[in-house]
Amino acid sequence: MKPTTNAYGQPVGSDIPDWREPPFPGPTVLEGRFCRLEPLDPGRHAPSLWQAWQMPDPDIANDREAKARWTYLGGRAFDDQAGCERWLEMMSRDSDPVCYAIIDPAEDRAVGMATYLRIVPADGALEIGHLNFSPRMARTPISSEALMLLIRHAFELGYRRVEWKCDALNAPSRRAAERLGFRLEGIFRQHRVVNGRNRDTAWFSIVDEEWPAIRESHRRWLSPDNFDAEGRQRQSLAEVTATLSSDGG
């Protein structure tokens, strides 16, 4: 949004016509083509999440224990299924974050988790985070579509800014943000102390004026025409997003 000038000749932010504070995200089921997102129910989802999170990660060399994928989340907070359920109960206890279980409809089982957090309806801003995708989601469209559903739902509710933050050293998370259309805003140096270590944080966002072009890139990637008979993508999401950008989207 371009700045304007007030009565004192000072540059100020432009007016937002007909601005209305969006509602707080409610307990809504988000249905997609490859997955669905359900409001997290610790008692119902903990067993399948615990099992999915226990699987070794094919993307981490010499991954001897499933705890490795929790590195950038500050470490796994539990050691057994009962602890997993207690942790999920703690995560879903308050209104923020709003936690979702990611369901693989082929098995009707939870295979990952995502949340809305730092939700500020007065500013029309929220963040997508606490992402923990199991190896069952690896190299499947579920991973991307789950995030697309959260982004789309936020803008449909009337939010004007969706944020993504991650450890600046977490290269896979940064690549995922860029594939989805998020723009890097900068690095917050020495932003946090996590397990006694420094964390610089990479900040990304999508704002409402960018959303129509990004929504189209998501739609094109999810189109049945983009997948072969074995479910393999013909064009990657990064390629689709780059194509729309070059077209002026």
Side-chain angles (χ1 to χ4, degrees):
M1 291 186 175
K2 295 182 179 179
T4 186
T5 303
N6 67 9
Y8 306 105
Q10 299 166 307
V12 294
S14 58
D15 292 334
I16 307 174
D18 304 318
W19 166 247
R20 294 184 180 180
E21 183 175 313
F24 206 87
T28 304
V29 175
L30 305 178
E31 292 278 0
R33 182 171 166 228
F34 298 103
C35 69
R36 73 176 180 273
L37 272 61
E38 298 177 353
L40 181 66
D41 180 335
R44 185 159 62 91
H45 294 130
S48 54
L49 284 174
W50 165 251
Q51 183 182 53
W53 283 335
Q54 283 297 98
M55 294 178 65
D57 193 331
D59 293 327
I60 300 178
N62 300 318
D63 182 17
R64 296 182 179 179
E65 52 182 330
K67 292 181 180 180
R69 76 177 58 91
W70 293 77
T71 295
Y72 295 115
L73 295 173
R76 197 173 74 179
F78 47 84
D79 293 312
D80 53 26
Q81 183 175 316
C84 178
E85 182 171 348
R86 288 193 297 270
W87 181 77
L88 292 174
E89 288 172 349
M90 183 272 295
M91 288 291 295
S92 57
R93 185 178 302 149
D94 298 324
S95 59
D96 187 342
V98 175
C99 301
Y100 291 90
I102 301 168
I103 308 299
D104 180 352
E107 300 182 359
D108 198 31
R109 294 171 61 86
V111 293
M113 173 181 170
T115 78
Y116 290 131
L117 69 155
R118 306 186 193 280
I119 304 164
V120 188
D123 295 329
L126 53 68
E127 179 182 344
I128 292 174
H130 293 306
L131 307 177
N132 199 303
F133 295 172
S134 75
R136 290 180 182 271
M137 299 173 64
R139 303 184 185 91
T140 74
I142 293 174
S143 299
S144 294
E145 188 184 38
L147 297 166
M148 292 175 180
L149 289 170
L150 287 172
I151 297 166
R152 185 183 72 188
H153 185 56
F155 283 113
E156 287 177 345
L157 287 174
Y159 284 82
R160 56 196 292 264
R161 173 181 171 86
V162 177
E163 300 174 344
W164 177 295
K165 303 183 183 77
C166 64
D167 190 310
L169 298 176
N170 188 349
S173 183
R174 294 181 64 162
R175 288 195 297 268
E178 291 167 351
R179 282 197 302 271
L180 288 159
F182 285 88
R183 294 189 183 183
L184 178 65
E185 295 184 328
I187 306 296
F188 277 44
R189 299 178 301 162
Q190 298 186 188
H191 177 229
R192 296 180 57 193
V193 175
V194 179
N195 290 337
R197 296 180 182 272
N198 176 66
R199 171 176 145 162
D200 296 346
T201 299
W203 288 52
F204 296 83
S205 73
I206 298 172
V207 297
D208 52 4
E209 65 180 11
E210 300 162 349
W211 170 235
I214 293 169
R215 178 179 57 205
E216 175 63 12
S217 73
H218 293 179
R219 185 198 68 77
R220 284 174 52 180
W221 183 79
L222 287 167
S223 170
D225 294 341
N226 192 43
F227 293 86
D228 65 19
E230 285 72 42
R232 296 185 296 250
Q233 61 182 352
R234 302 181 190 276
Q235 190 175 28
S236 71
L237 179 56
E239 291 170 334
V240 175
T241 303
T243 299
L244 284 182
S245 297
S246 65
D247 290 341

